[in-house]
Amino acid sequence: MDRIDKGRIKQRFSAAVSNYDQQARAQQQIHQRLLSLLSYIDRQAFQRALEIGCGTGGLTKQLMSQLQVEHWELNDLCDMREHLQSVLPQPFHFHCGDAEQLPFPQQYDLIASASVVQWFEDKAGFIARCKVRLKKHGFLLFSTFTPENLTQIKHLTGVGLTYPRLEDWQKWLVPEFEILALEHEEIVLHFDDPLAVLKHLKQTGVTATQQQGWTKGQLHAFCQQYQQHYRNAQHKVELTYTPMYVLARLT
């Protein structure tokens, strides 16, 4: 299992809240792709739904507009209650804390999560807990990332999360879940320079794995190498997200 500092994650994402929605271009695409998977489901009405790691409510708002859910329960590591009450169209119950530790009290028809599971220490354990918390024939809808995610950053710094492969997720889901969709894609973002890449990562909380700051020399070397390796013909530098998407039904 990964050893992940949840305190650092909470600190970095809390600091990123005010800029998150503006900077999270890849997340917006990920939300749209997750929503498109709902076409595989032959129902839109649910008694109770849980979203794990709802953040600023980007996916939540769209799920609420697309589904009829009697009781919404939302979770995040950061206390997002006040913000969510100001942006969401429906009432909800909020669980603040680490989703790997919280004893969610209900059985759910739908559990959803966007780009959160990669921060869990025990990814297989996430699937096992969802099996327990879902009603029979309940749905699990989530996104995470493949091992190629943010490859530019990992190549130049050696820092990054450990991401399971699609085959690992398949193994953890089967046989208790019927996999309705298991997909992946590349989202390539373009920036004027490497400093803009670092600003983007900071303002979306993605730097939560970084242990310490850089010296001026280290920053200069990073920018030089990034330009050398990842500048395209339009003189922009690239940053690649590799999201994967799962929709599964508990059998």
Side-chain angles (χ1 to χ4, degrees):
M1 294 190 298
D2 291 337
R3 297 305 303 170
I4 292 175
D5 186 338
K6 299 288 179 72
R8 178 176 287 108
I9 295 169
K10 183 175 182 177
Q11 179 186 18
R12 297 289 170 88
F13 277 98
S14 295
V17 165
S18 59
N19 296 296
Y20 184 86
D21 291 334
Q22 182 182 355
Q23 282 287 337
R25 289 181 280 156
Q27 282 302 320
Q28 290 157 16
Q29 291 187 52
I30 288 168
H31 294 166
Q32 290 304 313
R33 186 72 173 264
L34 275 175
L35 288 165
S36 74
L37 297 185
L38 294 174
S39 62
Y40 291 96
I41 297 179
D42 56 3
R43 57 185 285 205
Q44 290 187 313
F46 300 94
Q47 182 186 16
R48 195 176 294 274
L50 169 67
E51 184 184 355
I52 293 172
C54 62
T56 58
L59 177 64
T60 323
K61 196 183 306 182
Q62 297 181 70
L63 287 171
M64 284 183 170
S65 69
Q66 201 156 323
L67 301 173
Q68 291 85 53
V69 176
E70 291 181 39
H71 303 284
W72 277 102
E73 298 191 21
L74 307 178
N75 154 259
D76 201 82
L77 189 60
C78 308
D79 190 350
M80 304 298 294
R81 285 183 190 88
E82 194 172 324
H83 173 81
L84 293 169
Q85 285 168 350
S86 71
V87 299
L88 294 180
Q90 296 178 32
F92 57 87
H93 180 79
F94 188 78
H95 302 271
C96 185
D98 179 0
E100 289 197 272
Q101 304 297 329
L102 287 174
F104 295 108
Q106 305 292 341
Q107 293 290 111
Y108 303 97
D109 305 281
L110 170 70
I111 296 176
S113 181
S115 308
V116 172
V117 181
Q118 68 274 5
W119 298 109
F120 288 176
E121 292 185 359
D122 185 2
K123 280 79 167 175
F126 163 71
I127 299 297
R129 288 189 298 277
C130 287
K131 291 173 189 174
V132 174
R133 295 267 62 93
L134 278 170
K135 296 177 186 176
K136 187 174 183 179
H137 304 314
F139 293 95
L140 175 60
L141 174 70
F142 73 95
S143 69
T144 183
F145 296 94
T146 74
E148 293 73 36
N149 194 53
L150 302 177
T151 184
Q152 296 92 345
I153 304 300
K154 198 161 192 178
H155 172 227
L156 295 180
T157 69
V159 174
L161 294 172
T162 300
Y163 302 98
R165 300 166 301 140
L166 266 68
E167 295 82 1
D168 296 319
W169 291 107
Q170 269 182 315
K171 179 180 68 177
W172 297 332
L173 287 160
V174 175
E176 289 89 348
F177 283 93
E178 176 191 3
I179 298 175
L180 304 178
L182 179 59
E183 306 173 357
H184 64 97
E185 66 176 334
E186 274 194 1
I187 299 174
V188 181
L189 302 185
H190 299 93
F191 299 87
D192 289 333
D193 54 53
L195 288 177
V197 173
L198 293 178
K199 181 181 178 183
H200 161 80
L201 293 172
K202 182 178 180 181
Q203 293 187 339
T204 53
V206 177
T207 53
T209 54
Q210 189 176 319
Q211 298 292 321
Q212 58 198 25
W214 290 349
T215 65
K216 283 187 178 179
Q218 288 170 327
L219 182 60
H220 179 70
F222 171 83
C223 290
Q224 273 195 324
Q225 291 173 11
Y226 209 110
Q227 291 273 16
Q228 179 183 341
H229 290 283
Y230 301 116
R231 186 172 61 178
N232 63 21
Q234 289 73 43
H235 303 289
K236 301 279 189 178
V237 293
E238 299 181 344
L239 179 67
T240 305
Y241 288 88
T242 59
M244 56 161 285
Y245 308 92
V246 174
L247 175 64
R249 178 168 48 209
L250 190 64
T251 56

